[in-house]
Amino acid sequence: MPRNTPGDELCSPDGLPCRCSAESLCTVEAVLSVDERGQMVLPKDVREKAGIRPGDKLALISWERDGEVCCLALMKTGRLSGMVKQVLGPLVDGPE
């Protein structure tokens, strides 16, 4: 899929526009469809490239701009930083 070129506007966590550059390797990996149950499938090549295996937990991260969600990202829960991990820990780990 094509890469974003420098100057393409993207969302950032602070709600300000950011720029994608060749060094940041921003790419559109796939276009997903959402079915009537709200489910979507990550293509096999994307799962393999990202090291996503059955049973892995992913965090869905969203950014808002002007009161609307403008960007969504998936991250392996093991990569979440300490504070976020503490907050999400009970949700990720499930009941003891």
Side-chain angles (χ1 to χ4, degrees):
M1 292 271 176
R3 277 191 180 178
N4 290 333
T5 57
D8 285 351
E9 188 172 309
L10 299 174
C11 295
S12 63
D14 58 7
L16 299 173
C18 65
R19 302 287 179 219
C20 198
S21 67
E23 295 82 31
S24 66
L25 299 175
C26 293
T27 59
V28 175
E29 293 290 342
V31 175
L32 308 176
S33 295
V34 179
D35 70 15
E36 63 279 348
R37 296 186 322 178
Q39 297 178 334
M40 59 188 116
V41 174
L42 292 176
K44 182 180 180 182
D45 62 324
V46 172
R47 293 191 314 269
E48 287 175 347
K49 188 175 177 182
I52 299 170
R53 309 271 181 256
D56 282 353
K57 302 267 186 193
L58 303 175
L60 177 63
I61 301 159
S62 66
W63 290 273
E64 285 189 25
R65 178 177 290 161
D66 299 326
E68 293 186 21
V69 173
C70 60
C71 298
L72 297 172
L74 292 175
M75 179 184 291
K76 286 178 138 184
T77 56
R79 293 189 166 264
L80 294 172
S81 64
M83 185 176 81
V84 175
K85 202 171 192 176
Q86 287 175 355
V87 172
L88 293 179
L91 297 173
V92 172
D93 297 333
E96 294 185 24

